[in-house]
Amino acid sequence: HTSNGGKSWVKQSTLNSSLQKFFFVDSLYGWVVGELGAIYHTLDAGKTWGLQRKGTKIEDTLFDIFFINDSTGWAVGENRHIWNTTNGGKFWQLRLAPCEPWDWLMAVHFTDENHGWIAGMNGVMLYTEDGGKHWDGSYSEQYGYWWSDIDFTDRNHGWAVGLYGAVYKWEGTNAVRISPKEGQPQQFRSEERRVGKECRSRWSPDH
């Protein structure tokens, strides 16, 4: 932790997990995710951490977590797992993304409690407008990149980045390719271009 803009750093604690990503909603409240589906929470700026949930399989690694406020958040990872909480992490509900089981979900971002995006390997790009109850998988059929991160400034403007220098800018429901430029080679192996055939344009956890 640093309190002087990174001039010096203080070790706060060591957790019993390999960690992937953290997210803070303010200077005190934060979460971190990692292997075995572990989710830890801090109420004191990281001085102490409490375990909220943990799985039993190494394949259940979580890669990203995002909270829109101190109550509502989402975590994503392997095996198309999407975890959601509406009470600050006291209870996490599992949903399965509308893609193939081996498609890792690498990043999640919401602009409010209803509208959000998830990006992952093999071109997975999912959108929801009801807080994650349903996910639109049609975007996955358009962009065959292995996405590593995604970020939005509001509902209509965002960016996604991935392997081989892939950068896309979102404007509304349209994506503009920034890199590689048109005509430049896109160096994808065939398995990295594959998009899950199980992705459907509209999906419900009840299906």
Side-chain angles (χ1 to χ4, degrees):
H1 175 257
T2 181
S3 56
N4 56 15
K7 294 179 181 179
S8 61
W9 291 83
V10 177
K11 182 178 179 180
Q12 292 187 308
S13 58
T14 300
L15 302 178
N16 296 322
S17 296
S18 294
L19 305 175
Q20 294 290 335
K21 194 71 70 70
F22 66 88
F23 188 88
F24 277 74
V25 293
D26 54 31
S27 61
L28 297 176
Y29 282 70
W31 291 261
V32 63
V33 295
E35 68 178 5
L36 294 173
I39 303 177
Y40 293 90
H41 178 42
T42 181
L43 302 173
D44 55 14
K47 294 179 182 178
T48 59
W49 293 86
L51 181 66
Q52 289 191 327
R53 74 161 306 275
K54 194 169 187 178
T56 59
K57 299 179 181 179
I58 192 66
E59 294 83 4
D60 291 335
T61 294
L62 294 173
F63 295 113
D64 199 15
I65 188 167
F66 185 89
F67 273 74
I68 200 69
N69 51 46
D70 59 8
S71 298
T72 304
W74 300 262
V76 298
E78 292 182 280
N79 294 322
R80 57 181 178 163
H81 283 182
I82 304 172
W83 292 92
N84 172 234
T85 181
T86 55
N87 55 16
K90 295 178 181 178
F91 173 75
W92 289 88
Q93 181 179 6
L94 175 64
R95 298 180 185 273
L96 298 180
C99 53
E100 303 208 32
W102 51 81
D103 285 336
W104 295 358
L105 307 178
M106 304 302 297
V108 56
H109 188 95
F110 274 71
T111 56
D112 54 45
E113 292 188 10
N114 293 317
H115 299 85
W117 293 82
I118 290 175
M121 61 184 290
N122 296 321
V124 170
M125 184 66 68
L126 309 174
Y127 173 68
T128 182
E129 53 187 15
D130 58 10
K133 296 178 181 178
H134 304 84
W135 289 92
D136 183 345
S138 62
Y139 296 93
S140 299
E141 301 170 5
Q142 304 176 38
Y143 315 108
Y145 293 90
W146 185 323
W147 302 112
S148 57
D149 206 359
I150 192 168
D151 188 65
F152 277 75
T153 56
D154 57 48
R155 191 186 307 178
N156 296 314
H157 300 87
W159 293 262
V161 296
L163 292 186
Y164 305 111
V167 180
Y168 268 74
K169 180 181 180 180
W170 256 262
E171 298 176 348
T173 57
N174 298 315
V176 179
R177 186 168 72 181
I178 306 300
S179 173
K181 297 294 184 180
E182 291 292 342
Q184 290 182 333
Q186 300 180 35
Q187 301 174 2
F188 298 119
R189 295 189 296 271
S190 60
E191 64 269 22
E192 287 168 341
R193 292 189 63 97
R194 180 192 55 78
V195 177
K197 298 302 182 182
E198 293 181 5
C199 288
R200 297 180 291 275
S201 61
R202 198 66 180 167
W203 176 86
S204 167
D206 297 328
H207 287 176

